[in-house]
Amino acid sequence: MQTREPVWTILKVLQWTTSYFKSLRIEGPRMAAEILLAHALGLSRIDLYLRYDQPLSAEELAEYKALIKRRAKREPVAYIVGSKEFWSMELAVTTDVLIPRPETECLVEQAIERMPGVGQDIVWNVLELGTGSGAIILALAAERPQNRYFASDRSEKALRIAGKNAEKHGLADSVRFFVGDWFAPLKPEASFFNLIVSNPPYVAAGEISGLEPEVRDYEPRFALDGGSDGLASLSLLIGRASAFLKSGGYLILEMGYDQAAGVESAAKNEKAFESVEIVKDYAGLDRLAIMKKRGTAVG
């Protein structure tokens, strides 16, 4: 007598995978299971709920199993499926770029607060340094389309991803991408920008080995490593940004939750800035430093 193979429905597969991920102490086990299964089946997560009783074919199970194995090795879900949502935009991501994080949306919010509103007869020049996937600059371009946007990264591979995302969201003509290491390609005497933003590397080099495997083993180290104290890139940007900002222009930087004192000290040593404001993220942690260049704001 032959034993019948169990019928693996969408619901049953999700339940098993969630339990398995929990046993591995993987964060967000149910969400990960749903995202991976939806990706394997070419469905949305909502579709999964509408088809709970649908059985999976042997081919579908095999494809899903391969994704489970990758997540079990702590590969981030975003890299497995090749995308991550940020500011309501689905962005392509690969291991050449950092995965956009929710706390970085705080930077977008603070930038938008300071930019001219849509309909005002004012055009700003906005620069992002170290754009990665393009998440920040594309969110700003989508919200304030009247401005001129520029974004750089030292990685040509990262810029290809950013360009792909710009095209996907109809913003290819809104942002000029260029290769360069921080301010190296720019002429400081221009004082061209009203706003400069960046989410630079700010993890202390000695702390990287202690990060979660998803970050330590998969995300690009050059986008994480902020030098011995984590402040190397932050200090460089603070020290040089004023030469590229118009009077009254803003520099907005993301930083580590424990770096406010170091960033404030660097900003106060840079006499061109009249103020530095520390802004907390959604978790109540210090996350942003906002500096304003001395002088009257120029449109």
Side-chain angles (χ1 to χ4, degrees):
M1 180 177 178
Q2 286 187 330
T3 303
R4 293 183 61 186
E5 291 290 330
V7 176
W8 287 96
T9 63
I10 285 177
L11 178 58
K12 188 173 181 179
V13 162
L14 287 176
Q15 290 173 335
W16 183 92
T17 308
T18 301
S19 177
Y20 178 58
F21 284 164
K22 281 182 179 179
S23 73
L24 298 177
R25 299 181 182 274
I26 287 176
E27 184 178 357
R30 177 69 179 207
M31 181 181 294
E34 291 179 358
I35 293 173
L36 295 178
L37 183 56
H39 180 71
L41 300 180
L43 301 173
S44 69
R45 288 174 64 193
I46 294 177
D47 288 332
L48 297 180
Y49 286 90
L50 300 176
R51 305 185 186 189
Y52 263 166
D53 295 331
Q54 177 179 314
L56 274 65
S57 68
E59 292 77 12
E60 290 169 337
L61 282 170
E63 183 172 351
Y64 184 50
K65 184 177 180 180
L67 302 183
I68 292 172
K69 287 182 176 179
R70 291 173 65 181
R71 186 67 186 108
K73 293 179 181 178
R74 304 302 287 270
E75 183 176 353
V77 170
Y79 288 150
I80 295 173
V81 302
S83 66
K84 178 70 174 180
E85 185 175 304
F86 181 88
W87 204 259
S88 299
M89 296 188 295
E90 195 72 21
L91 301 175
V93 293
T94 71
T95 52
D96 295 311
V97 299
L98 284 179
I99 298 169
R101 289 164 167 77
E103 57 265 30
T104 302
E105 293 193 352
C106 297
L107 190 158
V108 175
E109 291 174 350
Q110 292 296 321
I112 290 172
E113 280 188 20
R114 289 159 176 80
M115 295 163 73
V118 176
Q120 294 185 24
D121 191 22
I122 303 174
V123 177
W124 273 21
N125 298 318
V126 180
L127 169 67
E128 183 189 8
L129 296 168
T131 191
S133 66
I136 294 171
I137 202 72
L138 295 178
L140 295 178
E143 294 292 335
R144 295 290 186 270
Q146 78 273 21
N147 296 323
R148 290 183 286 261
Y149 294 95
F150 305 83
S152 71
D153 203 288
R154 73 180 194 179
S155 167
E156 292 186 19
K157 292 180 179 179
L159 287 177
R160 284 197 286 271
I161 298 297
K164 177 180 177 180
N165 286 325
E167 290 180 6
K168 178 178 179 180
H169 293 283
L171 297 168
D173 294 331
S174 301
V175 184
R176 178 183 174 185
F177 295 102
F178 60 96
V179 179
D181 190 17
W182 301 131
F183 295 104
L186 303 174
K187 295 180 179 180
E189 62 268 19
S191 298
F192 182 70
F193 299 102
N194 303 89
L195 171 66
I196 298 174
V197 298
S198 183
N199 176 16
Y202 55 73
V203 180
E207 296 177 0
I208 292 178
S209 62
L211 297 176
E212 290 293 316
E214 287 86 347
V215 179
R216 180 192 67 218
D217 298 338
Y218 291 94
E219 299 205 60
R221 186 183 178 99
F222 70 82
L224 298 169
D225 192 340
S228 60
D229 60 358
L231 295 170
S233 295
L234 288 162
S235 297
L236 182 152
L237 295 176
I238 293 169
R240 298 194 61 198
S242 63
F244 301 87
L245 283 169
K246 294 183 178 182
S247 296
Y250 291 95
L251 171 66
I252 304 180
L253 301 175
E254 183 171 325
M255 64 182 183
Y257 71 92
D258 58 351
Q259 294 175 327
V263 169
E264 285 181 310
S265 177
K268 289 174 182 176
N269 289 335
E270 181 57 43
K271 305 301 183 183
F273 293 114
E274 67 178 37
S275 63
V276 55
E277 177 185 359
I278 303 299
V279 176
K280 297 184 183 297
D281 61 20
Y282 307 129
L285 302 173
D286 291 339
R287 186 59 61 192
L288 303 177
I290 303 175
M291 288 144 274
K292 184 178 181 182
K293 186 176 177 178
R294 296 183 187 278
T296 304
V298 179

